[in-house]
């Protein structure tokens, strides 16, 4: 019997996941075509889209063994419109408990409510289907209804498409309140469009153009690559991965704001970092905080002595490497960052604070060597590339000239990319703070329109548009 209930529950959850994923897409169509006059609020109209899916679920559950002997109980649920309306509009568990109590008391709702709340009628059908699928009845039925609602909210969270591919990692505890209480305003929509335009420009105008030259260099046989070429490829890839990943993040945040959701920030000009510790406070912020809260702190954090702290850091960055790929290259990439973070915590950070500009050089070199390992994704060839970087005078022969692999557009976008990684922003903030007032004005509007138009032209005319971070 327990196995039978679990099987039926699995079907119900699967159907609910599919329904909640699709319902936002067809929501506008339903309001225009069906337009039930009795919908008292948007939430009720929202659930009309579940009707065909619910009936399919009912038939499937009947096919796998539901006897359908509880249709009277189902009709009882069907007629409890007033209580069901609370469950639909608020999605509160106390409404489910109220529904259970009223059914146990044999109460009936006014039949006139059926004509006043047609959208709620369909949701009641969903409740009736679930009730009919529970041959045990009683509390098991309402436990299933609770699962039904919880999994619906969870499915909306998991399937929120702006962030589902590359992040940021929006935690459920931060995101769940917005699922039932989001606010759409003109200001937030405008900010979302602006943020999306910036992200699209980052991805298409910078990352794609720079990435094409990176691929050309790494596509050559390693014996045909000079030390200068490897250095150029490493720098260009650092630009590519930042603008690719942060561009996708900006687009996700922008789309979220258009729909009334606030998604956490994920980057804060990481290449301006003066240490590897600072780099990880600025790079992929949502991942760093996730590992901190769910791995580093549970392991003991820094509360159990220095040796244990260093061990915990090593475990975290070993896991960070595995997060991106289960190969020796990614493990080595994580170990590289973990090693320098441990060294900085031992005492090297105090030295970095005293050497001024050189600390940025140190951080850039560590990050750059790490990106070589990350890009090649194979430890042995990656070490050969790094060897060429460390001794470039020994590798000067190639059948290609550097300008054959790096075109004019790549050079222009490289300069723009380097300036846009925080240098321009820091300069404006320090030397021209009045320029901040132009934010949201006509000039920024024209700039965003240019970014969207130029990005569309490149996307239409070109075929190269990799999403490198989707591979990890």
């Amino acid at each position: 019997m327990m196995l039978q209930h679990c099987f039926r529950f699995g079907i119900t959850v699967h159907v609910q996941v599919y329904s909640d994923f699709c319902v936002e897409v067809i929501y506008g169509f339903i309001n225009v075509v069906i337009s039930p006059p009795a919908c008292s609020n948007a939430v009720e109209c929202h659930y009309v889209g579940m009707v065909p899916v619910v009936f399919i679920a009912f038939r499937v559950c009947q096919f796998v063994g539901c006897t359908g002997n509880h249709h009277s109980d189902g009709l009882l649920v069907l007629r409890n419109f007033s209580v069901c309306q609370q469950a639909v509009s608020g999605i509160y568990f106390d409404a489910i408990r109220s529904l259970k109590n009223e059914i146990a008391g044999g109460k009936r709702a006014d039949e006139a409510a059926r004509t006043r709340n047609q959208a709620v009628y369909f949701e009641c059908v969903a409740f009736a289907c679930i009730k009919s699928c529970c041959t045990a009845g009683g509390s098991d039925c309402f436990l299933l209804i609770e699962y039904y609602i919880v999994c619906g909210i969870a499915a909306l969270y998991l399937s929120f498409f702006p962030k589902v591919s590359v992040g940021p990692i929006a935690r459920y505890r931060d995101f769940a309140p917005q699922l039932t209480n989001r606010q759409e305003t003109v200001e937030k929509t405008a900010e979302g469009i602006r943020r999306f335009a910036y992200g699209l420009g980052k991805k298409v105008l910078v990352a794609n153009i720079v990435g094409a030259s990176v691929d050309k260099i790494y596509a050559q046989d390693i014996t045909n690559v000079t030390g200068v070429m490897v250095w150029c490829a490493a720098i260009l890839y650092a630009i590519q991965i930042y603008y690719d990943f942060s561009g996708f993040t900006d687009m996700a945040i922008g789309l979220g704001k258009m729909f009334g959701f606030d998604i956490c920030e994920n980057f804060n000009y990481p290449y301006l970092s003066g240490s590897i510790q600072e780099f990880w406070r600025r790079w992929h912020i949502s991942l760093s905080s996730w590992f901190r809260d769910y791995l580093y702190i549970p392991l003991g954090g820094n509360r159990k002595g220095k040796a244990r702290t260093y061990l915990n850091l090593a475990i975290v960055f070993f896991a960070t490497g595995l997060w991106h790929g289960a190969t020796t290259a990614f493990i080595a990439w994580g170990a590289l960052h973990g090693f320098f973070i441990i060294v900085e915590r031992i005492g090297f950070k105090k030295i970095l604070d005293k050497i001024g500009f050189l600390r940025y050089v140190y951080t850039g070199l560590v990050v750059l060597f790490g990106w070589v390992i990350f890009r090649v994704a194979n430890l042995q060839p990656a070490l050969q590339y790094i060897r060429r970087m460390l001794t470039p005078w020994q590798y000067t022969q190639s059948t290609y000239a550097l300008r054959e692999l790096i075109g004019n557009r790549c050079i222009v976008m490289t300069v723009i990319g380097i300036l846009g990684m925080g240098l321009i922003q820091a300069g404006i903030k320090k030397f021209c703070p009045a320029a901040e007032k132009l934010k949201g004005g006509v000039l920024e509007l024209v700039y965003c329109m240019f970014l969207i138009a130029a990005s569309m032209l490149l996307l239409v005319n070109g075929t190269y548009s990799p999403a490198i971070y989707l591979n990890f």
Side-chain angles (χ1 to χ4, degrees):
M1 181 63 70
M2 179 62 69
L3 181 61
Q4 189 179 29
H5 277 292
C6 290
F7 186 66
R8 291 167 185 161
F9 166 64
I11 292 176
T12 306
V13 170
H14 174 77
V15 171
Q16 177 64 21
V17 169
Y18 175 80
S19 173
D20 280 331
F21 184 79
C22 296
V23 72
E24 287 287 357
V25 179
I26 63 176
Y27 173 67
F29 173 81
I30 291 170
N31 281 334
V32 173
V33 178
I34 299 178
S35 297
C39 286
S40 61
N41 57 54
V43 178
E44 295 168 3
C45 296
H46 173 93
Y47 277 87
V48 179
M50 294 174 53
V51 178
V53 181
V54 167
F55 278 113
I56 292 172
F58 185 39
R59 293 307 179 190
V60 171
C61 291
Q62 280 187 323
F63 177 77
V64 297
C66 291
T67 61
N69 293 330
H70 298 273
H71 287 280
S72 59
D73 292 337
L75 291 174
L76 180 60
V77 179
L78 186 64
R79 292 174 180 172
N80 262 285
F81 295 107
S82 59
V83 181
C84 284
Q85 182 176 0
Q86 296 175 18
V88 175
S89 301
I91 318 179
Y92 298 127
F93 291 112
D94 56 346
I96 299 174
R97 298 188 186 97
S98 176
L99 175 63
K100 179 178 179 180
N101 295 333
E102 293 214 5
I103 291 178
K107 296 182 180 179
R108 299 291 190 272
D110 185 4
E111 289 292 330
R114 178 177 310 198
T115 58
R116 292 197 302 269
N117 287 298
Q118 304 238 345
V120 181
Y121 169 83
F122 291 120
E123 181 63 15
C124 293
V125 172
F127 276 82
C129 293
I130 298 174
K131 177 67 176 178
S132 299
C133 293
C134 295
T135 57
S139 60
D140 289 343
C141 172
F142 293 95
L143 179 61
L144 184 57
I145 293 175
E146 291 181 3
Y147 284 147
Y148 172 85
I149 293 176
V150 170
C151 290
I153 298 175
L156 284 172
Y157 160 72
L158 291 172
S159 62
F160 185 60
F161 70 92
K163 67 166 186 62
V164 77
S165 56
V166 293
I169 302 174
R171 303 191 193 184
Y172 181 77
R173 69 181 181 215
D174 300 325
F175 200 77
Q178 301 183 64
L179 293 174
T180 55
N181 189 30
R182 61 190 172 98
Q183 295 181 347
E184 299 178 51
T185 63
V186 175
E187 292 78 11
K188 184 175 284 189
T189 301
E191 184 182 354
I193 295 173
R194 177 183 64 84
R195 192 67 180 269
F196 182 87
Y198 282 127
L200 185 64
K202 282 183 177 181
K203 165 61 184 163
V204 178
L205 300 180
V206 180
N208 284 2
I209 292 176
V210 171
S213 296
V214 174
D215 288 351
K216 288 180 182 179
I217 295 175
Y218 280 112
Q220 306 301 316
D221 187 273
I222 193 170
T223 59
N224 196 35
V225 178
T226 66
V228 175
M229 288 180 180
V230 178
W231 273 103
C232 290
I235 295 171
L236 293 178
Y237 183 71
I239 297 172
Q240 180 194 7
I241 193 170
Y242 170 70
Y243 279 93
D244 188 282
F245 194 12
S246 66
F248 270 115
T249 298
D250 287 342
M251 286 189 279
I253 293 173
L255 284 171
K257 288 185 179 297
M258 293 181 206
F259 292 117
F261 294 96
D262 291 314
I263 304 176
C264 60
E265 296 291 340
N266 213 22
F267 292 92
N268 184 22
Y269 305 119
Y271 292 148
L272 296 181
S273 304
S275 66
I276 301 301
Q277 294 182 67
E278 185 182 359
F279 175 81
W280 279 100
R281 287 194 293 268
R282 293 170 174 261
W283 176 273
H284 207 339
I285 299 170
S286 60
L287 178 64
S288 302
S289 62
W290 192 92
F291 272 115
R292 179 197 64 207
D293 295 343
Y294 294 106
L295 186 58
Y296 178 68
I297 292 177
L299 286 173
N302 58 0
R303 304 185 304 273
K304 298 185 177 182
K306 292 184 178 180
R308 182 63 180 270
T309 299
Y310 304 148
L311 176 61
N312 293 341
L313 288 170
I315 293 173
V316 166
F317 279 92
F318 174 80
T320 303
L322 285 178
W323 174 283
H324 292 85
T327 66
T328 54
F330 292 112
I331 293 174
W333 172 77
L336 175 71
H337 283 267
F339 170 78
F340 281 99
I341 282 183
I342 293 173
V343 169
E344 289 175 9
R345 289 185 68 101
I346 290 175
F348 188 58
K349 181 65 166 59
K350 296 179 181 179
I351 300 176
L352 290 176
D353 294 336
K354 298 177 181 178
I355 60 177
F357 180 76
L358 290 179
R359 61 177 178 166
Y360 298 104
V361 177
Y362 148 78
T363 305
L365 289 175
V366 174
V367 171
L368 212 58
F369 288 131
W371 286 144
V372 173
I373 300 173
F374 197 91
R375 171 59 177 81
V376 178
N378 192 323
L379 187 57
Q380 199 64 30
L383 293 177
Q384 295 183 42
Y385 281 114
I386 292 175
R387 181 180 178 182
R388 279 168 165 75
M389 294 175 69
L390 295 175
T391 57
W393 58 87
Q394 296 182 5
Y395 305 95
T396 58
Q397 301 298 319
S398 175
T399 58
Y400 285 92
L402 184 62
R403 292 289 281 112
E404 292 182 77
L405 302 175
I406 302 177
N408 292 330
R409 287 202 303 178
C410 179
I411 294 174
V412 172
M413 288 303 165
T414 299
V415 174
I416 293 174
I418 292 174
L419 294 176
M421 289 189 296
L423 296 178
I424 292 179
Q425 294 83 347
I428 291 176
K429 188 175 181 180
K430 184 175 182 179
F431 300 108
C432 189
E436 290 288 328
K437 298 179 181 179
L438 298 176
K439 188 175 182 180
V442 177
L443 288 178
E444 188 175 30
L445 172 63
V446 173
Y447 180 59
C448 289
M449 292 174 64
F450 166 76
L451 290 178
I452 294 175
S455 299
M456 291 297 103
L457 287 174
L458 283 181
L459 287 174
V460 170
N461 295 326
T463 58
Y464 181 83
S465 184
I468 55 178
Y469 223 86
L470 291 176
N471 298 322
F472 310 111

